[in-house]
Amino acid sequence: MLLLSCSIQVCPAVPLDKLQESWKLYTEECDRNNSRDPPSSGLVCNRTFDDYACWPDGLPNTTISVRCPWYLPWFDEVQNGMVYKECDANGQWANTKNTSECDSNDPSPHYYSYIRIMYTVGYSLSFVALVLALGILIFFRKLHCMRNNIHMNLFASFILRALSILIKDALVDANLAAKDLSRDQDQTMIGCRIAVLMMQYSIMANSYWLLVEGIYLHNLLVISVFTERNYFKIYLCIGWGTPLIFLVPWVMVKYLYENKECWSQNINMNFWWIIRSPILLAVVINFLIFIHIIKILVSKLRAHQMRYSDYKFRLAKSTLTLIPLLGIHQMFFIFVTDETTSSTITLRLTKLFVDLFFSSFQGLLVAILYCFVNKEVQSEILKKWKRWKLGRNIEEEYRHTYSNTPNTKTGSLLHHIGPLPETTATLCSPEERHMLVSDCHNGLANTKLPCASVQSFCDSLSSDWRKAIL
């Protein structure tokens, strides 16, 4: 648990590998001290190391106390404290121990655990919503356009970001558990580093696809003749290619100078700027685009040059609702770095909470604004539902009409009945009825009859046909 707490930066001043090394030295010291004296005779709780403190032999029905272990990062604060553990009447150690005097006085570990639960829930909800939204945009072909293609790439970057962070947390926990078992950790370490690598790439890709959204909206409003096809390849290079330019040097620096653990901790903060600087650059550019777009819209609305029915205005209105979510929240703490918050725990927790809250739930908000409340998407889903329901009703009516097959006597009589008068209209077959009703609903029917008239027209012909036979 101590290693796990430090892995989520509860102990930012102590690297995780240094803490593990101190723990191993304490373990070796405990083994030497316990092996120095001969074993005790009689019924006692045997000397042992319980992965936290070193315990000597204990008499039954007594409470044994030892000093707080010196490998704790906050040992200077609790060096006079004691750990307590009970030895029962059967000479067995109790399963629990009292470490209250050795616990850190810093309340932040509890907040870190709450923050981790918060962003895990946020990324999980975002992942489910984004997968559903991406499936809707891919399924309906009428929604395929430049704007929605950019949205789909943005959704994919959010999905990759949420998935990589959740996998990274799971692998970091598995790697820490493997350390406690003192087994070969090469495979776990490689998988953990790959997860961290994908996480860093997905975060940068997500930031640059948000930048692409801002650039696309800016070009749509500023450039008078905007040929979308010429820009899409450039957008792809910006969104998926730009992160590789910065990720490759970061991997090389990590491997050469900081090849420790899962690469999840930043010991030398100068190396971290290789990843941080391009993300902050994208945020600043997006913020400037946001300000410029606001000025354009305000000036056009004051001059009454933009009507509500204008396509660009409607598009700007629907897309502008997402602009505050394009990483603009990072502007609040753009000058508050991790180095400056190391001594102020309140500011550090505030910054961490705000960043992780907006980042984890941002994908959910994007899916809602770009897909679920979009009128075009709702219209296509409603059309698909009406067509499916109409086809289901026609199929049930067809089965109900032809469920009773005529017997042989009726069939023999049909051979003696002459042809129907030519003045009688031709009966609508199920296929023709389906075409008439479908065309009517799609606005393509050449007849002047409404859909209800087409339905009653075919039903009346069926009734006349049955009467003529009988």
Side-chain angles (χ1 to χ4, degrees):
M1 287 298 295
L2 179 64
L3 295 177
L4 178 58
S5 299
C6 290
S7 67
I8 57 175
Q9 295 184 352
V10 174
C11 314
V14 180
L16 189 59
D17 57 341
K18 186 176 180 180
L19 175 62
Q20 184 184 8
E21 183 179 355
S22 300
W23 180 81
K24 289 182 177 179
L25 292 176
Y26 181 85
T27 304
E28 295 174 357
E29 178 183 331
C30 178
D31 293 337
R32 288 194 303 268
N33 294 335
N34 289 338
S35 61
R36 187 176 303 167
D37 299 328
S40 300
S41 60
L43 183 63
V44 293
C45 292
N46 295 325
R47 63 195 73 171
T48 184
F49 174 68
D50 62 354
D51 293 335
Y52 182 82
C54 185
W55 300 95
D57 294 334
L59 297 176
N61 293 326
T62 59
T63 300
I64 310 302
S65 61
V66 295
R67 298 188 62 181
C68 296
W70 54 261
Y71 64 83
L72 294 175
W74 51 85
F75 178 72
D76 294 338
E77 302 175 3
V78 296
Q79 56 184 347
N80 297 323
M82 305 293 289
V83 189
Y84 302 95
K85 197 171 187 178
E86 293 184 359
C87 178
D88 60 17
N90 298 323
Q92 299 293 329
W93 290 108
N95 295 327
T96 60
K97 52 184 173 291
N98 185 1
T99 62
S100 58
E101 296 183 9
C102 298
D103 294 338
S104 175
N105 296 326
D106 186 6
S108 59
H110 301 287
Y111 293 108
Y112 279 105
S113 61
Y114 296 149
I115 289 175
R116 179 170 181 175
I117 295 174
M118 179 268 298
Y119 78 72
T120 301
V121 173
Y123 280 122
S124 300
L125 293 176
S126 298
F127 177 78
V128 175
L130 288 164
V131 170
L132 181 60
L134 182 60
I136 291 173
L137 293 184
I138 293 177
F139 179 75
F140 293 99
R141 294 184 178 180
K142 290 185 178 180
L143 297 175
H144 291 183
C145 60
M146 172 64 73
R147 175 167 51 90
N148 286 335
N149 287 339
I150 295 176
H151 294 347
M152 286 189 285
N153 282 276
L154 179 64
F155 291 169
S157 67
F158 270 113
I159 292 172
L160 184 62
R161 176 175 183 168
L163 191 62
S164 62
I165 288 176
L166 295 176
I167 292 176
K168 186 268 299 181
D169 287 348
L171 289 178
V172 167
D173 294 345
N175 184 53
L176 293 174
K179 289 177 182 291
D180 295 338
L181 299 177
S182 299
R183 62 187 182 190
D184 187 17
Q185 306 153 11
D186 291 340
Q187 294 182 354
T188 307
M189 187 73 69
I190 293 174
C192 186
R193 290 178 179 178
I194 293 176
V196 172
L197 182 64
M198 291 302 300
M199 182 192 69
Q200 300 295 353
Y201 174 78
S202 62
I203 290 175
M204 284 193 292
N206 182 236
S207 300
Y208 276 89
W209 273 110
L210 292 172
L211 177 61
V212 168
E213 290 281 356
I215 294 174
Y216 173 76
L217 180 59
H218 179 269
N219 293 340
L220 195 66
L221 294 175
V222 174
I223 301 177
S224 57
V225 181
F226 182 47
T227 54
E228 296 180 343
R229 294 183 179 179
N230 297 337
Y231 288 89
F232 187 64
K233 292 183 179 179
I234 299 177
Y235 293 153
L236 289 176
C237 293
I238 294 175
W240 298 116
T242 304
L244 294 175
I245 300 176
F246 302 94
L247 188 66
V248 172
W250 180 79
V251 172
M252 296 176 61
V253 169
K254 275 286 187 180
Y255 182 77
L256 294 176
Y257 302 104
E258 212 172 82
N259 193 23
K260 301 176 182 178
E261 303 299 331
C262 285
W263 294 355
S264 58
Q265 283 196 326
N266 301 301
I267 301 174
N268 189 342
M269 299 304 294
N270 294 326
F271 299 156
W272 176 231
W273 276 102
I274 302 176
I275 297 292
R276 184 192 302 177
S277 57
I279 295 176
L280 294 181
L281 178 64
V283 172
V284 172
I285 295 175
N286 237 358
F287 181 75
L288 296 177
I289 292 175
F290 170 71
I291 298 299
H292 187 57
I293 291 175
I294 292 295
K295 291 182 179 179
I296 294 174
L297 292 179
V298 170
S299 62
K300 289 190 176 184
L301 287 174
R302 287 181 177 177
H304 301 286
Q305 296 180 358
M306 184 178 290
R307 299 174 300 173
Y308 181 78
S309 59
D310 190 359
Y311 169 77
K312 290 185 177 181
F313 177 76
R314 288 187 286 112
L315 179 60
K317 182 182 177 181
S318 61
T319 309
L320 200 61
T321 56
L322 190 64
I323 292 295
L325 301 176
L326 302 183
I328 306 301
H329 64 275
Q330 298 184 26
M331 293 296 298
F332 298 125
F333 296 101
I334 191 171
F335 299 109
V336 182
T337 61
D338 295 337
E339 298 89 330
T340 58
T341 60
S342 58
S343 58
T344 310
I345 189 63
T346 303
L347 182 60
R348 181 182 182 85
L349 289 175
T350 303
K351 176 181 181 298
L352 191 64
F353 176 81
V354 172
D355 286 344
L356 291 178
F357 177 81
F358 281 100
S359 299
S360 59
F361 286 95
Q362 188 177 7
L364 177 63
L365 296 175
V366 167
I368 293 174
L369 292 174
Y370 268 162
C371 183
F372 299 142
V373 300
N374 186 278
K375 293 183 179 180
E376 295 179 6
V377 176
Q378 293 177 350
S379 176
E380 289 298 320
I381 294 176
L382 187 60
K383 288 179 182 178
K384 189 69 175 180
W385 167 254
K386 288 182 177 180
R387 290 172 186 172
W388 178 84
K389 191 174 181 181
L390 179 62
R392 188 73 178 270
N393 293 337
I394 293 175
E395 183 180 358
E396 291 180 357
E397 184 179 353
Y398 178 81
R399 291 179 180 177
H400 178 73
T401 303
Y402 295 98
S403 60
N404 299 323
T405 46
N407 54 27
T408 54
K409 183 176 180 181
T410 306
S412 62
L413 290 175
L414 290 177
H415 292 289
H416 299 283
I417 297 177
L420 294 177
E422 295 183 359
T423 56
T424 304
T426 306
L427 175 66
C428 293
S429 65
E431 293 79 5
E432 294 170 337
R433 179 184 301 202
H434 179 70
M435 291 177 59
L436 285 172
V437 176
S438 300
D439 292 342
C440 182
H441 279 281
N442 292 329
L444 300 175
N446 295 325
T447 179
K448 297 181 179 180
L449 294 173
C451 296
S453 301
V454 173
Q455 184 72 21
S456 60
F457 174 69
C458 293
D459 293 339
S460 63
L461 291 180
S462 300
S463 178
D464 294 340
W465 182 79
R466 288 193 295 268
K467 290 178 181 179
I469 293 179
L470 298 175

